[in-house]
Amino acid sequence: METNYETIVIGGGVVGSGIAYHLSERYKEGVLVLDKKYPMSGTSGSTQAWVWVHNKTPSWYAEFNMYSAELYPYLSKKIGDVEYKRTGGLSPFFNESDREKAQKLAESYRKIGIKIKVLSREEVLEKEPYMNPEVAGATYSSIDGNVNPFRLIDMYMRAAKRNGVRYSTYNKVTEIKKQDGKYSVVSDKGAFECKNLILAGGTWSREIGDMLGVKIPVNQLRGQILVSEPLKPFLNFTISGLRQANNGEVLMGYSMEEAGFNRATTLDVIQETANMAVQYVPGLRKAKIVRAFSGIRAMPEDGFPILGKVPGHENLYVAATHSGVTLSPLIGTLITELIMDGETSIPIDRYSLSRFG
């Protein structure tokens, strides 16, 4: 295998593969993706895979997510059917006292051009008849939806490979050195050299940064999800907490636990998740659960993406974030612009690693 590349991407998940694909549109060779296991075996393959904008705060961060969601229909046309569905998103609340908070959110979004409706109980039940009739209301956004994460990453990889990107999988990076203006990336399968190095290792960002003496403050958060037997289609929208997939399965859950890299599922969270699902949609009480799984999210210390050039290191870039499924088309576009043009079409200064001091 060739050892010299223009650009190496460490991490082949949804963020790394999205960057590799977008880079490959601009130059057709010289990109290598290194992955310690195989794309989809980590965070990107263990997710609800929402393309979610509404109720992210503050409004400038919601706006960033909106730009990415708007790229999805175009992305699907370019790389193939990723089962992207813009279902619209519902975020229900069960106490009338939460309505004022919902209205404030809708007002802050209106100023940046994101339309959110605050629905009454009757309007929620009209949209989603199987919702608990005790619901007080919900916020609703037409821009939200979901995608099949396996198809998304597979299509990114296929399109990138067609454009000349090389993948080296089951190949853990063990050392990174800078010498003679180039990066030497030492891995289980040998050493590779590149001019541009992109750190897109997700949950492992901190450990990869340490190899270069760069602090990337990303922590791990475990999320557990329950999957029902296939049911006839009955949920119309992506609901904050659950959604129905194309094959009829209902995916439930949105836990956030500090458990390091431990991907076990636990009875207490499984019970909490089942209770949440039944509170939202009482009819799920009769559904059989066929499996539970968990994934580890990459969570920057302040919750916002870490993107762009690494200060003080020439040709070194970082892309570490949660919401990687939602943000991957935009991050891929912006990192490509930064490398190829030296600037981005929308400002990313507030996402710089330099904010952590």
Side-chain angles (χ1 to χ4, degrees), residues 47-48 50 85 128 130 146 224-253 273-274 276-278 280-293:
T47 167
Q48 282 255 25
W50 302 339
K85 295 187 295 182
E128 204 62 278
Y130 287 90
N146 56 70
Q224 299 186 44
I225 294 172
L226 299 184
V227 184
S228 79
E229 62 186 324
L231 303 167
K232 69 174 175 52
F234 73 106
L235 292 177
N236 303 318
F237 297 91
T238 303
I239 302 168
S240 62
L242 50 98
R243 73 173 180 96
Q244 190 165 24
N246 276 14
N247 64 0
E249 294 174 347
V250 178
L251 282 73
M252 304 160 249
T273 301
M276 175 276 294
V278 168
Y280 278 21
V281 181
L284 285 171
R285 191 179 294 279
K286 296 175 184 168
K288 291 184 175 70
I289 298 300
V290 294
R291 70 186 181 108
F293 67 89

Side-chain angles (χ1 to χ4, degrees), residues 1 12 22 34 38 71 73 77-78 87 107 190 205 217 236 250 252 258 260 271 276 285 301 325 331 344 356:
M1 188 173 181
H22 283 90
L34 296 172
Y38 193 83
L71 292 173
K77 285 195 173 83
K78 288 196 297 179
T87 56
E107 179 56 28
S205 295
N236 303 318
V250 178
M252 304 160 249
E258 292 181 12
Q271 287 171 329
M276 175 276 294
R285 191 179 294 279
E301 261 175 18
V325 169
I331 289 174
T344 54
F356 296 102

Side-chain angles (χ1 to χ4, degrees), residues 201-216:
T203 52
W204 295 92
S205 295
R206 194 184 286 266
E207 287 74 9
I208 294 165
D210 286 346
M211 294 179 191
L212 285 157
V214 174
K215 188 180 179 218
I216 305 173

Side-chain angles (χ1 to χ4, degrees), residues 5-233:
Y5 292 87
E6 179 77 8
T7 302
I8 291 177
V9 183
I10 298 178
V14 72
V15 172
S17 288
I19 292 169
Y21 163 67
H22 283 90
L23 265 174
S24 76
E25 287 192 299
R26 295 285 294 272
Y27 57 85
K28 298 297 180 193
E29 53 195 41
V31 181
L32 171 68
V33 180
L34 296 172
D35 198 282
K36 65 180 295 201
K37 288 188 180 171
Y38 193 83
M40 297 174 272
S41 65
T43 303
S44 301
S46 51
T47 167
Q48 282 255 25
W50 302 339
V51 177
W52 192 261
V53 175
H54 107 268
N55 70 17
K56 287 187 176 174
T57 55
S59 56
W60 49 259
Y61 180 49
E63 185 178 21
F64 195 68
N65 283 265
M66 173 186 72
Y67 291 146
S68 198
E70 292 289 22
L71 292 173
Y72 257 100
Y74 181 49
L75 180 72
S76 303
K77 285 195 173 83
K78 288 196 297 179
I79 67 173
D81 178 18
V82 295
E83 292 179 9
Y84 170 63
K85 295 187 295 182
R86 186 169 285 189
T87 56
L90 279 174
S91 190
F93 52 87
F94 287 84
N95 293 308
E96 193 53 45
S97 58
D98 290 330
R99 185 173 299 279
E100 189 183 342
K101 192 166 80 176
Q103 281 162 341
K104 279 183 182 160
L105 181 78
E107 179 56 28
S108 72
Y109 278 19
R110 190 183 60 76
K111 292 173 184 165
I112 54 166
I114 300 177
K115 288 182 185 154
I116 287 185
K117 287 185 76 173
V118 182
L119 306 180
S120 66
R121 170 184 281 122
E122 292 71 31
E123 287 171 321
V124 176
L125 295 173
E126 190 181 334
K127 281 188 179 296
E128 204 62 278
Y130 287 90
M131 185 72 82
N132 189 338
E134 289 179 14
V135 70
T139 50
Y140 168 73
S141 160
S142 62
I143 200 174
D144 296 320
N146 56 70
V147 68
N148 180 328
F150 297 100
R151 286 190 71 90
L152 175 62
I153 297 158
D154 186 51
M155 292 294 185
Y156 267 146
M157 287 175 68
R158 286 171 188 264
K161 285 176 177 178
R162 279 198 300 274
N163 288 345
V165 172
R166 305 289 295 272
Y167 271 77
S168 181
T169 56
Y170 300 105
N171 191 7
K172 184 180 178 182
V173 171
T174 54
E175 190 183 358
I176 307 170
K177 296 177 286 201
K178 180 90 187 268
Q179 53 197 39
D180 304 326
K182 287 197 155 193
Y183 290 97
S184 173
V185 181
V186 182
S187 71
D188 289 345
K189 296 181 181 177
F192 303 93
E193 280 201 343
C194 64
K195 175 189 165 190
N196 306 307
L197 182 60
I198 302 168
L199 310 180
T203 52
W204 295 92
S205 295
R206 194 184 286 266
E207 287 74 9
I208 294 165
D210 286 346
M211 294 179 191
L212 285 157
V214 174
K215 188 180 179 218
I216 305 173
V218 169
N219 301 320
Q220 298 84 33
L221 279 182
R222 182 170 66 193
Q224 299 186 44
I225 294 172
L226 299 184
V227 184
S228 79
E229 62 186 324
L231 303 167
K232 69 174 175 52

